[in-house]
Structure formats: structure tokens, C-alpha cells
């Protein structure tokens, strides 16, 4: 890990040297570029919100091409994503905006798409090796998510106790990166009283997540918290723990959508959780992809561009991966009793 | 002595006895592996989760008895749970009894589609329901427009229903869901064994020609089997909604595999004509017990659980078959051992006679 860190620092330093003071690119509106927004799968709220944001930017930029929101069904996520990637390239789409759920398996089709002239911009979940990817629109810094998760665990457990993680699928590169970042953060002296006992996977299915949460409760009699960095898992865990009258003993936290979590936050089962704005993420992703696809930015480190209502962003080396470039959105909000009701509306 | 016991029990009784033994053996095995295993909590976990799977498996069993299979059942549960949740979000004041009937009605509509395609168009059920498995799921994904059902939009009584106990004895909570599921299972058992209308399903499965000669309407019976399967999947969808509350478009995925597993482990002949509903209940319990226990077993990593579950199902089936043979020991190769061949012949004939 240390070696990796040092090498990252070295690369960053080298890059910093090469970055010229570029001017901010402003989008030229009304160009034609067919865009494809490809979520992990269809059917859950956060991706739908990202689509809202993308549609908003699509209107605003007056793109005369089409914006297609399409994705696989959940059970077919990996194969479906690869297929849609391939189809989009053969239909000469200008850009595919991908929330990658296929790990490295997406690479061949993404590389082929790039070769055919289709830009591949990832958002939400990147391609771990960055092969075939032009840019990654990072919702927040992945390292920072790890710290926030560790902090929420610290505050809910009052600095002392056992907790377990209930993640999405074992292939999900974003969740895996966040959990790794959280474990890194937990090494700090502040978190010495916390014990991370297990990681289980609910496959982003309500019933599987529900049963996994109960299994954690059974397996660890001293468990104080379930940390679930996925919107499906966190709400299923909260329901499971409440159904078993265990809220007094086991709390739930992680990353969730306020509208889905509001009941559990108000009744104390899930006192704190975090999330960023998926509408904004969709907006920024679309804005960046449009400019990239129409040649208004090159997609190189150090480039700065203006993304409409969200302001200026700079493309940078992604410090959380060995390779790849990112645009960092941030920040995110920690929700609790005081602000969740307003956000849920 | 064994053989005298086995004679008294009859083949279905033997099956039930063997399943009970395997259940106990597996529970004992895991209790030696997992700390705090045999507790009232385990009972609550398994019983509640089995109540959903048992309903689906019983419907599946009725279909399998008629030499068919319903692979679409997971999608039917998911669709029913989702659509029912949507309806309840708009009309939260619907009477609970009506909601249950509505769920069964929605499920039966899906069953009707399967049943008509299989019985009227004479299409093989494995293909029809494989297609509708994908079709129903796609309808759900398309019509959901990307949103999911959340507990917040559901009436309180429904959310509370999942955790309401009929009675509690020393930590053993008996949930209403469990009572309802058991009531349905035993009613179905009674119906299938004691009523003419119920015996028809066995008759159609064991010998379609003979069944037809004796005046049973084959097509109508197969249609009925799919309607029962759909309605029970609908009821399961209601319980699914109550228990999990948050319904995404993937809801119920994979239940078809579990239900077929429960039916096969429970001793229903996959070529139709025989099997007991009590066996299916035990089969469902066995699969759920293994599934739940594996999650808590330290030795098995997350990535191996599915594989081990598959292996254990195979093992259970193999053991079960071996023990059954041992108990039947000495008997000459019995006609049912050649069932696969016979089935092909018979079903071929069914097709000829109906086209």
C-alpha cells in the first residue's frame, strides 16, 4: 500500500509540473452528438435521478442529437452493459456515459468503442484500470467516502464497538474502493475502538440484503452497527433490524437516498447516513461528455472547463486509482434527524 | 424392521421421514460449526422466510405434478409485490382482506397467461415460462420507470404485518405470516389428496391418456395448475411486499430456482404424477435452512456460498434418493424407475391426440 502511495505522489508531482495554466473552456451549445447514458442497471432511484440531471443538461446545451437512457436489467448487468457498449459504438454514438458494474470485463468493449470514435466517460463507478475510459466523473473523492463512513461509524458507536459492512455486489468497483478506503481510514488512532468484523454482499437485491443483515445480527452478538454503502442495502438493513426489534442494539448507516431513509432516521434505526446529489452527478457527467464528444475539451489532465450551473471543474489525475483521469464533483451531505425530512421531499 | 416401518409409512411417508432426518442432521451439523446456532431466533428466521418460499413451492409442485414447470414464478412474485405496492401507495385505505385477494388476483392473471399458452397452444411449459420469466420482468422494468417502492409509501398495517406474532412461546415467535402459509400448505395438501378436483392433477401427470379416457379435461387441469401457481405466487408477492417493504425491479429474482429445488428435494417427481405437499414444505425448509446457515458459517467465504448451496442441494437429493432405495430395498426395479422414457412416450402421445 505504501509503495502505491509513494508512486501516486510521484506521478502527481510530475503531473503538477507539466500542467500549464490553461484557460477555462466554455461549452458551445447546439452541436450534434448522440449520447448514451448507461447505468449499472435500470430500476433504482439514484440512477433515475442521474438521468434527470443528464436530461436537464441535454436541454440546456441544446444538443440536436439524442440522449438515450438505457441499461441492462439487474440480473443481466455485466453482459448487458458490455452489449450496450458494443451496440452504442457500432451505432456511432458520440459518447457513452457508463456507471461500470462489470469491473475489468467491460474493458475490451470500451477499448473497441474508443477505437470506433465513441468516447467512454464513466460516472458513479469507474473502470478500475481506466483502460478504455476517457474520464471518470467522481461523485466525491473515494478516499473521502471512506473517511466519512469511518466517521459515521465512530459517532454512532460512540467510538467503541463492532460493526460490519453490507455491500452491493462483489464486482462493484465503487463500493469495493470505498470499503478499502474505509479500512485504510480505520487504521487511524481515532478509530482504535472500532472493530470491523465482516463484509457481506446483498447483491443490491432487497431480499438478499435483508437476509444478510439478519445473518450479521445473528452471527455477531455484540454487533453495534451495519454499514451499508449502497442505497438498496442500507434501506433493507434498516427494515430488517426494525422488524426484529433490534434497533436499540444495532444501528444502520451508510449511503442512502433520503426519501427512502427518512422513516428510519426519524425513528432512530439509522441515525446518520450520507449521499451526494445524483441529479448533479448526471448533469456534470453529461456536460463533461458533451464537451469531450464535440471536441471542446481534449480530456487531458489540467484542463479546466465550465459546467453550466455547477461552475468550473478541472480534469486531474485520479489519485484513488493507479491510472486514469477524473473530474471530482463533491461534496456530499451527511443526513440526520435535522435535515433528512427536508431532503426527502 | 426398517422395511415394516417403511411399508406402514408408504412412499410419501418415507420421503417425509427421510427429509425430517436430513433436516435434523443438517441442523445438528451447523450447530457444531456455528456458535449460538440453535436458538429461538433461528426458528423465527427460518419460519418467516420459509413462509414465502413454501407458498411458491407449493404452486410449483402442483404445476410439476401435471408434467409441467413454472419458471416464471420469480417474476410473478416480483411483479405482484411491485404493482401491489404501487396500488397501495395510491389507495392506502384498501381493506387488508381485499389487498390479499387483489394480490392473488394479480398473480393469477400471470398464471392465466402461462396456462393459456401451455394448455391451449400446446407449447412446452419450460419454454413458455422461460420466455414469460424474461417478459414479466421486462414489463416490470419498463413500467416502473426506474423508481422503486419504498416502505414510506405503504400503509402502516402492511409494514407491521411482517413482524406481528400470533403467539410467542419462550422466545419462539410464531408470526402471522407463518400461520397463513402453513394454513395454505395444509389446505392444499388436503385438497390434492382428498378431493376429486385435486386428484386430477396427479392423474394428468401420471398418465395423461388414462386421465383423458376417464373423463378428465387435460387442458383445463393444466390451466388450473398454472392458475393455482400464479395465485400462490401472488400471495407470496403480498408477503414479500410486507416483509421487505422496499421493492426494486429485481424483487423475487431467483425464486424459481429455489422453488424448483424445494419441489425436487421435497420428492415431487419431476416427470409428474407423484409427490406430497408436506414433502415440498420440508424441502423448502431444508433449502432455506442451508441457505441461512451458510451465511453464518465461518469456513465459507461469500464467493463460495452459492456453489456450496448448489452442492448441498445435490447432496441432499442424492442422499435422499439413496436412502429411499435402501428403504425400498429388495424390491424389484419398479416401473417408476423407467419413468423418464415413459414420460416421453406419454407426452408425445398427448401432443398427437390434441393436435
Amino acid at each position: 500500500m505504501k509503495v502505491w502511495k509513494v508512486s501516486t505522489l510521484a506521478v502527481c508531482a510530475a503531473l503538477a509540473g507539466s500542467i500549464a495554466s490553461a484557460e477555462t473552456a466554455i461549452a458551445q451549445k447546439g452541436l450534434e452528438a448522440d449520447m448514451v447514458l448507461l447505468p449499472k442497471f435500470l430500476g433504482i432511484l439514484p440512477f433515475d435521478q442521474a438521468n434527470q440531471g443528464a436530461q436537464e443538461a441535454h436541454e440546456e446545451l441544446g444538443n440536436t442529437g439524442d440522449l438515450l437512457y438505457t441499461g441492462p436489467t439487474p440480473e443481466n448487468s455485466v453482459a448487458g452493459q458490455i452489449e450496450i457498449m458494443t451496440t452504442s459504438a457500432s451505432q456511432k454514438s458520440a459518447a457513452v456515459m457508463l456507471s461500470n458494474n462489470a469491473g475489468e470485463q467491460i474493458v475490451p468493449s470500451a477499448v473497441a468503442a474508443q477505437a470506433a470514435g465513441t468516447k467512454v466517460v464513466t460516472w458513479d463507478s469507474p473502470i478500475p484500470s481506466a483502460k478504455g475510459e476517457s474520464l471518470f466523473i467522481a461523485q466525491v473523492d473515494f478516499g473521502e467516502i471512506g473517511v466519512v463512513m469511518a466517521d459515521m461509524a465512530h459517532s454512532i458507536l460512540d467510538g467503541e464497538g463492532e460493526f460490519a459492512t453490507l455491500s452491493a455486489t462483489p464486482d462493484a468497483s465503487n463500493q469495493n474502493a470505498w470499503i478499502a478506503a474505509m479500512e485504510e481510514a480505520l487504521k487511524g488512532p481515532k478509530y482504535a475502538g472500532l472493530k470491523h468484523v465482516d463484509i457481506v454482499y446483498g447483491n443490491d437485491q432487497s431480499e438478499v440484503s435483508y437476509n444478510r443483515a439478519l445473518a450479521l445480527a445473528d452471527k455477531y452478538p455484540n454487533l453495534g452497527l451495519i454499514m451499508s454503502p449502497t442505497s438498496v442495502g442500507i434501506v433493507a438493513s434498516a427494515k430488517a433490524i426494525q422488524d426484529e426489534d433490534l434497533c436499540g442494539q444495532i444501528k444502520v448507516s451508510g449511503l442512502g437516498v433520503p426519501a427512502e431513509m427518512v422513516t428510519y432516521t426519524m425513528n432512530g434505526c439509522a441515525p446518520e447516513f450520507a449521499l451526494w446529489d445524483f441529479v448533479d452527478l448526471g448533469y456534470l457527467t453529461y456536460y463533461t461528455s458533451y464537451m469531450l464528444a464535440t471536441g471542446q475539451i481534449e480530456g487531458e489532465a489540467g484542463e479546466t472547463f465550465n459546467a453550466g450551473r455547477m461552475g468550473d471543474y478541472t480534469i486531474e489525475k485520479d489519485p484513488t486509482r493507479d491510472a486514469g483521469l477524473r473530474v471530482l464533483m463533491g461534496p456530499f451531505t451527511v443526513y440526520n434527524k435535522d435535515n433528512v425530512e427536508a431532503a426527502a421531499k | 424392521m426398517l422395511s415394516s416401518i417403511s411399508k406402514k409409512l408408504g412412499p410419501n411417508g418415507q420421503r417425509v421421514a427421510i427429509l425430517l432426518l436430513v433436516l435434523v442432521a443438517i441442523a445438528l451439523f451447523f450447530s457444531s460449526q456455528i456458535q449460538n446456532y440453535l436458538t429461538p431466533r433461528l426458528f423465527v428466521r427460518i419460519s418467516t422466510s420459509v413462509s414465502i418460499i413454501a407458498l411458491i413451492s407449493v404452486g410449483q409442485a402442483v404445476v410439476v405434478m401435471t408434467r409441467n414447470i413454472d419458471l416464471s414464478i420469480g417474476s410473478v412474485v416480483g411483479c405482484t409485490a411491485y404493482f401491489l405496492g404501487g396500488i397501495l401507495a395510491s389507495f392506502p385505505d384498501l381493506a387488508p382482506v381485499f389487498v390479499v385477494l387483489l394480490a392473488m388476483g394479480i398473480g393469477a392473471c400471470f398464471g392465466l397467461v402461462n396456462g393459456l399458452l401451455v394448455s391451449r397452444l400446446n407449447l412446452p411449459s419450460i419454454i413458455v415460462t422461460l420466455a414469460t420469466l424474461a417478459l414479466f420482468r421486462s414489463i416490470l422494468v419498463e413500467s416502473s420507470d426506474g423508481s422503486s417502492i419504498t416502505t414510506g409509501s405503504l400503509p402502516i398495517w402492511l409494514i407491521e404485518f411482517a413482524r406481528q406474532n400470533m403467539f410467542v412461546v419462550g422466545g419462539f415467535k410464531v408470526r402471522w405470516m407463518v400461520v397463513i402459509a402453513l394454513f395454505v400448505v395444509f389446505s392444499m395438501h388436503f385438497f390434492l389428496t382428498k378431493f376429486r378436483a385435486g386428484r386430477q392433477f396427479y392423474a394428468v401427470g401420471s398418465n395423461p391418456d388414462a386421465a383423458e379416457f376417464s373423463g378428465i379435461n387435460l387442458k383445463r387441469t393444466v390451466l388450473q395448475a398454472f392458475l393455482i401457481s400464479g395465485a400462490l405466487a401472488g400471495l407470496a408477492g403480498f408477503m414479500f411486499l410486507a416483509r421487505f417493504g422496499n421493492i426494486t425491479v429485481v424483487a423475487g429474482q431467483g425464486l424459481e430456482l429455489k422453488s424448483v429445488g424445494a419441489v425436487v428435494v421435497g420428492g415431487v417427481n419431476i416427470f409428474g404424477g407423484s409427490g406430497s405437499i408436506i414433502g415440498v414444505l420440508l424441502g423448502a425448509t431444508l433449502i432455506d435452512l442451508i441457505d441461512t446457515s451458510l451465511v453464518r458459517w465461518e469456513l465459507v467465504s461469500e464467493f463460495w456460498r452459492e456453489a456450496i448451496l448448489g452442492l448441498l442441494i445435490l447432496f441432499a437429493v442424492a442422499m435422499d434418493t439413496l436412502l429411499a432405495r435402501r428403504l425400498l430395498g429388495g424390491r424389484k426395479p419398479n416401473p417408476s424407475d423407467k419413468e423418464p422414457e415413459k414420460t416421453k412416450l406419454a407426452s408425445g402421445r398427448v401432443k398427437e391426440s390434441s393436435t
Side-chain angles (χ1 to χ4, degrees), chain B residues 2-21 266 276 282 320 323-329 331:
Chain B
L2 268 180
S3 64
S4 73
I5 293 176
S6 68
K7 258 179 210 155
K8 247 183 225 165
L9 284 171
N12 280 336
Q14 286 167 19
R15 179 73 68 161
V16 168
I18 293 166
L19 279 169
L20 279 173
L21 285 177
S276 93
L282 291 174
D320 188 39
L323 283 174
R325 278 203 198 126
R326 177 73 60 81
L327 278 178
L328 294 170
R331 270 176 67 176

Side-chain angles (χ1 to χ4, degrees), chain A residues 33-53:
Chain A
D34 288 336
M35 313 283 277
V36 177
L37 184 66
L38 173 53
K40 286 184 174 176
F41 45 80
L42 294 175
I44 64 171
L45 193 58
F47 295 139
D48 199 40
Q49 292 178 336
N51 181 36
Q52 279 174 36

Side-chain angles (χ1 to χ4, degrees), chain B residues 75-223:
Chain B
S75 296
V76 175
V77 173
C79 283
T80 309
Y82 192 96
F83 294 137
L84 193 67
I87 292 168
L88 278 170
S90 313
F91 307 98
D93 297 329
L94 291 177
V97 176
F98 180 72
V99 173
V100 173
L101 292 176
L102 186 63
M104 295 179 74
I106 296 174
C109 288
F110 289 110
L112 184 69
V113 174
N114 286 329
L116 286 177
L117 286 171
V118 172
S119 69
R120 302 296 137 138
L121 299 182
N122 261 316
L123 301 173
S125 57
I126 191 165
I127 303 300
V128 167
T129 56
L130 191 62
T132 53
L133 168 76
L135 204 67
F136 296 159
R137 182 68 66 187
S138 304
I139 290 173
L140 176 55
V141 172
E142 274 304 311
S143 60
S144 71
D145 209 18
S147 56
S148 42
I149 303 287
T150 56
T151 42
S153 64
L154 299 173
I156 306 283
W157 68 264
L158 183 69
I159 300 300
E160 289 296 311
F161 170 71
R163 50 194 285 213
Q164 257 156 19
N165 305 316
M166 186 186 189
F167 57 88
V168 181
V169 185
F172 288 88
K173 299 176 191 165
V174 178
R175 298 256 155 100
W176 272 106
M177 279 173 71
V178 180
V179 177
I180 292 176
L182 285 179
F183 175 75
V184 171
V185 169
F186 285 105
S187 306
M188 280 303 292
H189 176 73
F190 192 61
F191 168 69
L192 287 173
T193 50
K194 305 289 179 214
F195 283 79
R196 195 187 138 82
R199 300 298 306 170
Q200 283 186 357
F201 296 106
Y202 287 104
V204 166
S206 68
N207 192 333
D209 292 348
E212 196 165 33
F213 279 129
S214 59
I216 293 172
N217 185 332
L218 292 184
K219 292 183 175 187
R220 197 200 294 152
T221 310
V222 169
L223 179 61

Side-chain angles (χ1 to χ4, degrees), chain A residues 68-250:
Chain A
L68 179 65
Y69 176 56
T70 184
T73 48
E75 77 279 9
N76 188 33
S77 180
V78 173
Q81 284 204 319
I82 295 170
E83 193 184 319
I84 293 169
M85 177 66 76
T86 308
T87 316
S88 306
S90 58
Q91 289 174 346
K92 302 281 173 214
S93 299
V96 174
M97 297 168 274
L98 164 78
S99 168
N100 181 26
N101 203 29
E104 287 300 315
Q105 298 172 64
I106 197 82
V107 168
S109 59
V111 169
Q114 294 274 15
T118 301
K119 301 285 182 196
V120 177
V121 176
T122 55
W123 53 283
D124 178 51
S125 178
I127 299 174
S129 68
K131 285 189 187 120
E133 171 196 281
S134 304
L135 280 176
F136 169 47
I137 314 300
Q139 46 275 59
V140 280
D141 184 278
F142 279 15
E144 203 186 321
I145 296 183
V147 176
V148 167
M149 283 174 21
D151 277 340
M152 289 192 298
H154 188 269
S155 94
I156 291 170
L157 291 172
D158 231 352
E160 188 90 37
E162 285 183 6
F163 77 104
T165 300
L166 191 151
S167 186
T169 59
D171 280 338
S173 40
N174 50 350
Q175 269 92 8
N176 286 346
W178 302 336
I179 295 167
M182 179 181 75
E183 290 194 315
E184 192 61 37
L186 286 173
K187 288 176 187 163
K190 175 183 171 190
Y191 311 101
L194 301 183
K195 199 173 159 212
H196 187 211
V197 291
D198 207 347
I199 304 173
V200 297
Y201 300 89
N203 292 338
D204 267 349
Q205 258 187 287
S206 271
E207 60 268 36
V208 180
S209 306
Y210 184 103
N211 289 329
R212 291 291 180 267
L214 291 184
L216 284 173
D218 290 342
K219 192 167 170 180
Y220 302 100
N222 300 321
L223 195 72
L225 171 72
I226 294 175
M227 179 63 69
S228 184
T230 152
S231 66
V232 178
I234 188 174
V235 77
S237 304
K239 174 91 166 64
I241 296 303
Q242 182 177 307
D243 280 356
E244 296 298 312
D245 297 319
L246 290 170
C247 279
Q249 187 189 332
I250 301 174

